[in-house]
Amino acid sequence: MAELRAEAERREAACPLSGFPARFHLPAPPAIYLDGNSLGPLPRQTAARLQAVVERDWGEGLIGSWKDAGWLAAPTRIGDRIAPLVGAPPGTVIACDSVSVNLFRLLVAGLRRAGPGRPVVLMEADDFPTDRHIAEAACRMAGAALKAVPRGELLAALGPEVAVLLLSHVHYRTGAAWSLAEAGAAARAAGALTLLDLSHSAGVLEVGLEAHGIDLATGCGYKFLCGGSGAPAFAFVAPRHLEALDQPLAGWMGHAAPFAFEAGYRPDPGIRRLLAGTPPILAMAALEAGVATVAEAPIEAIAARARSLTGLLVDALDALDEPGLLIVTPRDPQARGAQISLAHPRAREIHDRLLARGITGDLRTAPGAPHLVRLGVSPLTLTHMQMVEAAAAVGEALAQLRRVAA
Ligand SMILES: *Cc1c(COP(=O)(O)O)cnc(C)c1O
């Protein structure tokens, strides 16, 4: 471990983003927060920002703040700050609702766009449950069929009947990342639209929505974007689809002129047509502070730091030389997100022992799948040394478990 600690020091000193963890409220060492992929930690600038929105904009500005404090523009202003993080052009991303709601509206819009000749949504059977539930509900409503297949068969299952390929960029349990170049091209060749769930990649990996010709996407505001628990999500529509996009939750805030109070619905010509109701301004303020903190770093540098941190964590776990410990996350740094998931027959006890000493990962169980200890590696909030320390703690937990058994 001494060599790994020296390597951690070298990498931290050489990384242009090593100042970022100081911008977040984090538990005091030796605690290590490895759950930023579930709930991103609190940026230091968020509390003051929220206080200003509450006391100045709401308290003093009252209704005038819709214009004077930029409340009306918040969904697109925040969307435009998220856009460079996911490789999207300005005017194509909006902050709104939750990932679940956005998946529903984009799936139905995609099915409508594809028309009756393509009555199928295709997805990975083992995707995050909300993606599956929403896809089933959207298909039920739109009169389409859901085809859910094993991961390895997904791209080969694209056929002329598929309207939308629904894909989670990074798998929530294993951390495996799809090649968007490959998946996007396969969907395009089959004439299907690609709808991405970026919950585990927005703000942490290069996504390249425009570069890969992705049609539709949504992603989470409270994970790597550090927008606070229940933060609004975001949604993306490629410019070529915007004008004709018919989304099912057509509310007044998506109207071309919401304050003209027209009886008939005319959608906004741009990305605002995705809105349904009034944006949650207090939650938006926290999201904006989170996005502002993250977006100060170029996404390429964030992704490079994530690969460096997860790579060191893998090396340190390998150095434990524990035959029962299986790293299920891909070893190729280009093929994974910012997490390392571990399978072990005693995963639950490892997780509990880590937690008892202040190392917060999480346990992911699913029917028919091995229990996994999921170590989230939010690159702006963690250091290389913490990767070595976390791996050492896993080793100590295993040694303790053996002693208890003996
Ligand atoms: C976290 C997560 C979500 C969150 O959905 P919400 O509706 O915003 O709560 C959705 N999909 C995936 C893959 C996630 O990891």
Side-chain angles (χ1 to χ4, degrees):
M1 284 280 165
E3 260 170 54
L4 287 161
R5 284 177 201 278
E7 177 63 17
E9 274 174 12
R10 265 196 301 278
R11 290 197 197 185
E12 196 64 32
C15 179
L17 303 183
S18 53
F20 267 81
R23 299 186 189 199
F24 293 86
H25 275 283
L26 290 162
I32 305 175
Y33 186 64
L34 297 171
D35 222 351
N37 54 338
S38 241
L39 174 63
L42 171 67
R44 291 198 185 273
Q45 61 168 304
T46 300
R49 177 78 202 129
L50 271 178
Q51 188 167 13
V53 172
V54 169
E55 293 183 354
R56 184 191 63 203
D57 300 347
W58 180 13
E60 303 296 326
L62 286 166
I63 193 82
S65 285
W66 278 102
K67 200 158 121 297
D68 301 340
W71 287 357
L72 206 56
T76 44
R77 185 177 66 241
I78 300 168
D80 279 341
R81 294 195 92 153
I82 295 171
L85 291 172
V86 293
T92 63
V93 178
I94 192 157
C96 61
D97 301 302
S98 60
V99 171
S100 301
V101 171
N102 287 326
L103 283 170
F104 180 80
R105 58 160 58 97
L106 293 174
L107 269 175
V108 173
L111 282 163
R112 286 176 177 168
R113 189 144 171 76
R118 289 182 175 263
V120 170
V121 170
L122 177 65
M123 72 181 296
E124 187 181 339
D126 186 34
D127 206 335
F128 191 77
T130 206
D131 299 60
R132 180 82 182 253
H133 304 327
I134 291 284
E136 284 172 3
C139 285
R140 221 157 41 235
M141 199 194 86
L146 179 65
K147 196 166 157 189
V149 305
R151 186 176 181 89
E153 299 167 22
L154 189 68
L155 297 186
L158 279 161
E161 73 288 1
V162 176
V164 182
L165 169 66
L166 167 59
L167 198 65
S168 283
H169 184 187
V170 173
H171 194 273
Y172 76 105
R173 277 191 307 111
T174 65
W178 284 95
S179 155
L180 295 185
E182 189 188 344
R188 215 162 26 254
L193 301 176
T194 302
L195 166 53
L196 291 182
D197 183 335
L198 302 175
S199 292
H200 286 278
S201 58
V204 71
L205 291 193
E206 299 106 326
V207 175
L209 290 175
E210 191 174 31
H212 299 308
I214 301 301
D215 301 283
L216 308 164
T218 181
C220 190
Y222 55 79
K223 291 173 178 155
F224 293 109
L225 295 179
C226 301
S229 190
F234 67 89
F236 158 84
V237 177
R240 62 187 173 280
H241 299 305
L242 255 183
E243 207 184 309
L245 197 86
D246 181 13
Q247 70 109 346
L249 304 172
W252 74 305
M253 280 288 158
H255 194 283
F259 297 99
F261 300 101
E262 294 168 15
Y265 184 75
R266 281 190 298 128
D268 182 274
I271 191 72
R272 289 190 75 89
R273 73 174 50 198
L274 288 195
L275 293 182
T278 305
I281 292 300
L282 301 184
M284 286 274 180
L287 175 63
E288 188 159 23
V291 170
T293 305
V294 172
E296 262 181 63
I299 190 63
E300 296 76 15
I302 299 176
R305 183 170 169 92
R307 286 189 282 269
S308 178
L309 288 165
T310 51
L312 189 60
L313 180 53
V314 167
D315 291 346
L317 289 164
D318 282 346
L320 298 176
D321 201 18
E322 286 282 353
L325 194 66
L326 185 67
I327 297 175
V328 303
T329 305
R331 284 173 175 271
D332 172 2
Q334 301 292 338
R336 67 178 177 233
Q339 75 182 61
I340 296 297
S341 299
L342 307 172
H344 190 277
R346 306 186 73 177
R348 184 182 296 277
E349 291 153 283
I350 297 171
H351 165 268
D352 292 349
R353 278 171 195 263
L354 292 177
L355 192 60
R357 54 185 285 187
I359 300 178
T360 308
D362 59 27
L363 187 75
R364 279 292 174 266
T365 64
H371 291 188
L372 298 180
V373 179
R374 203 175 65 152
L375 306 176
V377 182
S378 186
L380 296 180
T381 72
L382 290 161
T383 65
H384 287 89
M385 193 59 79
Q386 287 176 315
M387 299 297 100
V388 180
E389 287 163 2
V394 170
E396 283 155 28
L398 285 164
Q400 281 172 1
L401 288 170
R402 266 193 300 271
R403 275 201 299 277
V404 172

